[in-house]
Amino acid sequence: MKKIILYLGIAVSFVTFNFYNLNAFGDIIPNPLEYTEMPFDVLHYDVNLDLRNYSTREVTGTCKILVKRKDIYDGDYFIFHLQSLKVLGITSNIVSMQYSAYLDESSPQFHYRVYYPDNISDTVEFVISYSGKMTSEIGGNMSWGGAFYEEAVLYTIGVGFRAPYISTSRHWMPCFDLPQDKATYKGTFKVPAHFQAASNGLLKEIRGTTDGAKEYVWEHNFPSATYMLTFAAGPYQLLDYKDYKIPIQIFSLLVDSARSDFAYSEVPQMNECYEKYFGDFPYDKIGFANTTKGAMEHQTMISMPRSVVVQLHSKNNSNNLTAVHELAHSWFGGSVTPIDFRHAWLSESFATYCESLWLECRDGNSAYKKSQIDKAYDYLNNISKSEGIFPLYDFPRNLPSSNYPGTIYQKGAVVLGMLDYALFKSGFNIFDIMKKYLEKFAYSNAGTEDFIKVLEDETKLDWDWFFDQWVYSAGWSRIEILFDDVQNNKYSSHLQIKQIQEGMIFKNLPVELKMFFSNGKDSTFIVNLENEITELQLAEYYNYKIDSVKANQGEIVAGLYELKKVSAITSVENNTTEDIEIFQDGEYVNINFQSNGSFCKLNVVDLLGNSVHSDELINKSGMNSFRFYLNNSQTGIYFVNLLIDGMNYTQKISLIR
C-alpha cells in the first residue's frame, strides 16, 4: 500500500448499549496493535451485496461466516466488526441468534458479539443480514479507508491511515477485522447491466437476474486477511492478458483503456523478477482495478489510482513503480501477513525494498543502488523531519505519524538493503532467507521475531544487534571525520571517524567513504564502525594528499548515517618553525620558541581534536617558553598548536609517561 493523506480526528467514547452478557471465560476485546489468540477461527466468508444504488453507497446484503470454535464454553461467543451499517438479524441453521453490540460505534473497540446455537457444534455458520450506507474511516473528502463512489466507480479500500481500528473492510462487510485471522472468500455482487464488478480470486460466474441486473460471483480459495478483501464496480472494460502464464486482469474505464494497456504493460516482467527472488507467484490471478484512491494491495485485485495510469501514459513511461510495490505485497503482506499491525514494516518495508529489486532487474545494479540511496536521502532529509524519528516496529500513530508513515517505507527499505550487505559479508544470500521465511509462513501470519528466528536458524548467527539498532530503535549515526594534519588545504592519509550522536553507538555500521585525491583520482571503500571512535590509516596505495571526502553515496551500500563534519588540525608551513623546540623532561613537556614580543597562545589537542592543555601569555622579545605537566592518562600522540606573533604553527608530538 502507498500514499499518505492529511489527518482528521476521530472522537472516542465508551458508552455501552444493547449489552447481552459477559463471557463466562472473560471479556475479549480485539486489539489491532496487540495479538491475542481468539477462541475461534474464521474459515470462510461468503458475501452477497446488492450494489445497484451505487451512487449513494446504499446496500443490502448478507454475509455467511463459517467459524470453527477452538474451545467450547458455556456462554462463549463469536466476535465480528461492522461499521455504520445496520445488522438486521443473524441466523444459524435458520434459527435466530442472540447478538449484542459492545460499546458505542464511535469507540475504537466497537464490535458485535453473537452467541453460538449450542454447546456441541465445533463448526458454526452465521448468516448476518445487514443494510445501510457504506462509509469511510473518517468521513468527508479526506477519508482513505472504507467505501467510496468516485469517478463512476464504487469501490473499497482495506485500511485507513487514521482509523484506530486500522482495517476498514468492516465498512462494507461483517467480518473479524483483524489481520491475525485469515479465511477464504466468496463475493457475489449485484450491479446494473452496464457495470462490471471486480473482486478477489477468480470470476466463477456472471448471471443475469429477472430484474435486468447482473451478478458477478468471485471466489478466492486462498486464506486472506480481511483488509486484503475488496470489490470495485463500475462501467469497466476488462483488459485480459491471456497470453501470460498467470491470468492478468485489468479493470479500466473505457476512456482509460489505451492508457491502462500501456501503464500495465510491464507487469509480466515484474512478476518474473519477483519469482526469481521469492519463488512462484502465490495466487492464481494478478488483478488491478483503476480507482480514484489507492494504491492498495488487495489480494489479487489491487486498487490502482487512476491518476497514476494517466500520468504514466502522458509521460510515455511504462515503469509503473506503484504497480511494482503493490505486486510485491502478494508475497509480503498477502501470503505472509503481519500477525498484528505493530509489524506493518514486514509488509511495507519489504515491498518498498522490492522497488529497488525491480529496478535492478529492469535497468541493472546501478539502478538498484540509486534507488537505495534516494530512499536513504528521502528518509534522512525529508520524512524524519516531517514525521519525527521513531522505530520501524510498534511506531507511534498520532500526528505527524499515521497508521502507515513514510518511515516504514523508505527507512525500512534501506534497512533491508543494509541487511543484504551484512548477510553478503557473512557469506549468505538475503533471498535464501526471504524464501525460507515465505515458505515457513505461507498463507499464514508472522511477526518480527519470526523473521529473526528464520534468519538466525539459517545463518547460525546472532542478529539481535542489527534489529535492536534498526527495527526496535529510532535514529541513525551521525559521524565526524578528523584528519590528523592538513597542509596547503590537503588532508593526510590518517584519519579518525567519531560517532557524535547522543545515545546509542551503532555497531557493525558500514560507512561508505569516497576520497578525492590530489592527483585527480578518487576511491570508494567501506569502513566498518564498531565503537564510538574508529581510527583509519589509508594503505600505501593512497599515497596522495586528499582534496575532499564524501560519505554515503550509495556506490557500494546505502546506509542510515550522516557525515556532519570533516575537520583537521591546521598547520602552516613557515621557516620560523625551526625556532620552536618541543621536548619532554620527565613529567613535564617544555615548549621553547622565538617571538618578537606579542601575544602568544598554546593549545594541545589529542587525535580527536579535544584540548588537553591550553595557556596564553604576553611574551617578551626573544626566547619564550610554555611548560605543562603530563599525567599518566596522557600517553599518546598529540598536536601542539601555537599562535605566535599572529601566525599559527602545528607540530605532532608523541608523549610517553
Side-chain angles (χ1 to χ4, degrees), residues 352-563:
T352 310
Y353 179 63
C354 286
E355 297 171 14
S356 300
L357 297 179
W358 157 248
L359 290 171
E360 181 168 45
C361 287
R362 187 181 192 270
D363 300 320
N365 185 250
S366 61
Y368 166 88
K369 292 176 180 176
K370 183 179 186 307
S371 173
Q372 283 286 286
I373 199 63
D374 287 348
K375 294 179 189 304
Y377 182 90
D378 187 28
Y379 171 68
L380 293 171
N381 294 280
N382 300 318
I383 292 173
S384 64
K385 291 179 173 59
S386 63
E387 291 181 347
I389 301 172
F390 46 77
L392 293 177
Y393 167 77
D394 198 16
F395 49 86
R397 293 162 190 272
N398 53 298
L399 281 172
S401 182
S402 71
N403 288 333
Y404 288 91
T407 294
I408 67 171
Y409 294 75
Q410 305 296 68
K411 175 188 174 181
V414 180
V415 166
L416 288 171
M418 291 194 294
L419 179 60
D420 180 10
Y421 179 80
L423 282 164
F424 172 75
K425 294 295 287 183
S426 299
F428 299 98
N429 187 317
I430 192 173
F431 305 115
D432 293 336
I433 309 300
M434 288 181 169
K435 282 181 181 178
K436 289 290 184 181
Y437 167 72
L438 291 167
E439 290 170 3
K440 182 173 182 178
F441 297 101
Y443 307 112
S444 62
N445 299 88
T448 303
E449 291 299 319
D450 294 314
F451 180 75
I452 296 172
K453 188 173 189 312
V454 171
L455 174 62
E456 293 186 339
D457 285 348
E458 292 301 310
T459 63
K460 310 303 180 188
L461 298 173
D462 178 10
W463 291 93
D464 284 349
W465 64 270
F466 184 91
F467 288 85
D468 287 345
Q469 291 180 167
W470 301 118
V471 176
Y472 294 120
S473 299
W476 56 87
S477 180
R478 294 167 172 84
I479 62 174
E480 175 181 302
I481 297 178
L482 177 72
F483 290 92
D484 65 6
D485 190 22
V486 61
Q487 296 180 4
N488 296 327
N489 295 318
K490 306 290 185 185
Y491 299 119
S492 70
S493 61
H494 182 269
L495 59 98
Q496 288 197 344
I497 304 172
K498 183 178 182 181
Q499 297 191 55
I500 60 174
Q501 72 278 358
E502 295 182 0
M504 180 190 304
I505 296 299
F506 288 82
K507 306 292 184 181
N508 297 316
L509 176 61
V511 171
E512 180 187 289
L513 297 180
K514 185 169 187 176
M515 299 289 185
F516 296 86
F517 297 97
S518 58
N519 64 347
K521 296 183 178 181
D522 61 74
S523 180
T524 302
F525 52 90
I526 296 290
V527 180
N528 194 61
L529 303 191
E530 286 283 352
N531 303 300
E532 179 182 2
I533 300 169
T534 300
E535 188 168 346
L536 181 66
Q537 176 68 53
L538 298 185
E540 292 183 3
Y541 170 78
Y542 305 105
N543 55 2
Y544 294 93
K545 290 288 185 179
I546 300 165
D547 280 329
S548 61
V549 58
K550 292 182 179 180
N552 208 15
Q553 299 298 293
E555 294 183 15
I556 301 173
V557 58
L560 294 176
Y561 55 91
E562 292 180 283
L563 175 57

Side-chain angles (χ1 to χ4, degrees), residues 15-233:
V15 180
T16 63
F17 69 98
N18 192 28
F19 189 72
Y20 173 72
N21 184 26
L22 279 176
N23 192 319
F25 56 88
D27 215 15
I28 305 173
I29 303 177
N31 185 346
L33 297 176
E34 182 180 348
Y35 170 75
T36 301
E37 185 176 0
M38 295 292 140
F40 54 81
D41 179 21
V42 179
L43 303 177
H44 184 70
Y45 294 103
D46 186 345
V47 184
N48 193 310
L49 271 182
D50 187 341
L51 305 178
R52 287 177 296 171
N53 293 323
Y54 53 88
S55 62
T56 63
R57 291 180 284 168
E58 296 284 340
V59 297
T60 58
T62 60
C63 181
K64 299 177 182 178
I65 306 179
L66 186 63
V67 180
K68 181 176 178 60
R69 299 161 79 179
K70 296 178 181 177
D71 293 294
I72 298 176
Y73 299 88
D74 183 21
D76 59 338
Y77 51 80
F78 169 63
I79 292 172
F80 70 91
H81 301 89
L82 189 66
Q83 202 78 17
S84 301
L85 298 163
K86 181 181 180 181
V87 176
L88 302 177
I90 304 176
T91 63
S92 181
N93 291 325
I94 320 177
V95 177
S96 294
M97 295 291 99
Q98 292 178 305
Y99 65 94
S100 61
Y102 183 87
L103 302 177
D104 184 79
E105 193 169 1
S106 63
S107 167
Q109 286 79 31
F110 174 72
H111 61 267
Y112 288 90
R113 297 174 174 184
V114 55
Y115 300 88
Y116 293 102
D118 54 51
N119 285 334
I120 301 171
S121 305
D122 63 353
T123 303
V124 176
E125 183 179 72
F126 294 108
V127 181
I128 304 172
S129 300
Y130 62 106
S131 67
K133 182 177 180 177
M134 298 183 296
T135 57
S136 54
E137 60 171 314
I138 301 171
N141 294 330
M142 296 309 300
S143 300
W144 204 84
F148 304 90
Y149 177 70
E150 298 170 315
E151 296 181 310
V153 175
L154 178 66
Y155 66 96
T156 63
I157 298 290
V159 293
F161 276 92
R162 296 297 171 197
Y165 40 84
I166 306 176
S167 182
T168 54
S169 290
R170 65 190 71 192
H171 284 272
W172 65 276
M173 63 177 283
C175 57
F176 182 72
D177 208 14
L178 269 69
Q180 69 189 62
D181 199 342
K182 301 171 74 170
T184 56
Y185 159 85
K186 178 181 179 181
T188 302
F189 304 96
K190 190 174 186 177
V191 296
H194 67 292
F195 268 33
Q196 291 194 50
S199 191
N200 308 83
L202 298 178
L203 182 61
K204 293 298 184 180
E205 187 180 3
I206 304 174
R207 57 193 181 215
T209 63
T210 57
D211 51 8
K214 288 183 178 179
E215 288 184 333
Y216 286 77
V217 182
W218 292 87
E219 290 186 9
H220 188 46
N221 295 319
F222 297 88
S224 174
T226 52
Y227 79 88
M228 290 282 200
L229 300 178
T230 191
F231 73 82

